[in-house]
Amino acid sequence: MHTSPDIKGRAHDIASLTNMRLATTASDVKAELILSDIAQSCIGGAKETSGDLYMINMTLERFLISRARSLVSAPDKKLRSPELAEKLIYEADQIGDPGIKNHFSYHRLDSYVALAQVWLTKKAYPVATEALLDVVKMSQKMHTSIHLPFITELYEEIRLSNYGKDIAVAELGLRLLLLQYPQLFQQR
C-alpha cells in the first residue's frame, strides 16, 4: 500500500511539532528538525485536493507555519528559535492564497498562533495578547475552536506574567470564555 505524500508529510509534520513540545535537550531539537525535513520533502508530492481535503495538503505555506510553531514550542525557552520562526511566518504569509477562503483562513489562524508564541518567547506580552485576541475573534467568525487548546495555553502564560493584570489580558480571558462556552452568553 502506498501512502500519499501529503499524508506522509502531515504525519511527520505533526510528529515534529509534538516532539518539539516535549523537547528537553538540543539533541531532541535536532531529532525534531529531522522529522520536519522529512515533512518538507513531501511538499507538492500530490495533486491539489478539493473540498475539505485541503486540510491534508502538504503545502509550502503549511510547512513554514508548522516549522515556525515547532521552533517556539520547546518547554525550555533556551531551545527555542523565535527569530527564525518569525522569519518563516512572514515568508508563509507572502505565499498564502486568499482565493482559497477556508484554507487561507485556517492558515492565518495558525500564523497568528505561531506569532503569539514567538512574541511570548521574546516577552512581548502586549503584542502576543493582541495576536491572540485576533485569533479568538477570527475563530468566532469562522465558528471553529480548533486552536482553543493553544490559545488557552498561551493565555495562561500571559496571565501569569507581569503583564497578566492588563485590561487586554482580561479581555482575552473573557473572549476565550465566549469561544469556549457560547451557550452561556446567549440571550434567551
Side-chain angles (χ1 to χ4, degrees):
M1 186 169 120
H2 176 71
T3 303
S4 119
D6 283 321
I7 292 173
K8 180 181 175 186
R10 289 293 289 144
H12 282 90
D13 189 40
I14 292 166
S16 170
L17 178 58
T18 302
N19 286 349
M20 188 58 115
R21 291 179 61 84
L22 302 171
T24 56
T25 66
S27 60
D28 292 342
V29 172
K30 187 176 179 180
E32 177 278 326
L33 292 175
I34 291 169
L35 288 172
S36 186
D37 290 342
I38 294 170
Q40 183 179 18
S41 72
C42 297
I43 294 171
K47 293 182 177 163
E48 281 291 312
T49 53
S50 59
D52 287 337
L53 293 178
Y54 68 85
M55 294 297 291
I56 297 173
N57 283 354
M58 194 63 208
T59 64
L60 179 57
E61 179 187 15
R62 169 169 275 139
F63 167 76
L64 292 171
I65 293 170
S66 186
R67 180 89 175 236
R69 287 184 69 189
S70 289
L71 291 170
V72 290
S73 292
D76 182 349
K77 291 184 182 182
K78 292 178 204 152
L79 297 173
R80 296 180 183 181
S81 300
E83 287 77 21
L84 178 56
E86 188 171 15
K87 180 180 174 245
L88 293 175
I89 294 163
Y90 290 124
E91 187 178 333
D93 283 349
Q94 296 300 310
I95 59 174
D97 183 359
I100 307 173
K101 189 175 179 187
N102 279 345
H103 174 80
F104 183 75
S105 296
Y106 279 101
H107 280 236
R108 177 70 54 206
L109 287 172
D110 284 342
S111 176
Y112 279 36
V113 169
L115 280 172
Q117 287 177 284
V118 165
W119 291 319
L120 274 174
T121 299
K122 294 179 175 187
K123 296 186 188 268
Y125 299 114
V127 183
T129 302
E130 287 303 315
L132 290 174
L133 279 166
D134 287 341
V135 171
V136 171
K137 291 172 189 174
M138 285 188 283
S139 295
Q140 288 170 319
K141 282 183 184 175
M142 294 170 61
H143 304 288
T144 181
S145 59
I146 195 164
H147 291 87
L148 193 55
F150 297 108
I151 301 166
T152 303
E153 180 181 320
L154 298 174
Y155 162 73
E156 286 300 323
E157 189 174 336
I158 294 169
R159 192 178 65 76
L160 296 173
S161 74
N162 59 356
Y163 183 70
K165 298 211 184 295
D166 190 88
I167 191 75
V169 179
E171 180 185 353
L172 177 59
L174 180 59
R175 288 189 177 272
L176 258 175
L177 285 173
L178 286 167
L179 184 61
Q180 289 172 310
Y181 308 104
Q183 68 280 7
L184 294 178
F185 298 94
Q186 292 174 349
Q187 291 185 351
R188 298 173 195 242

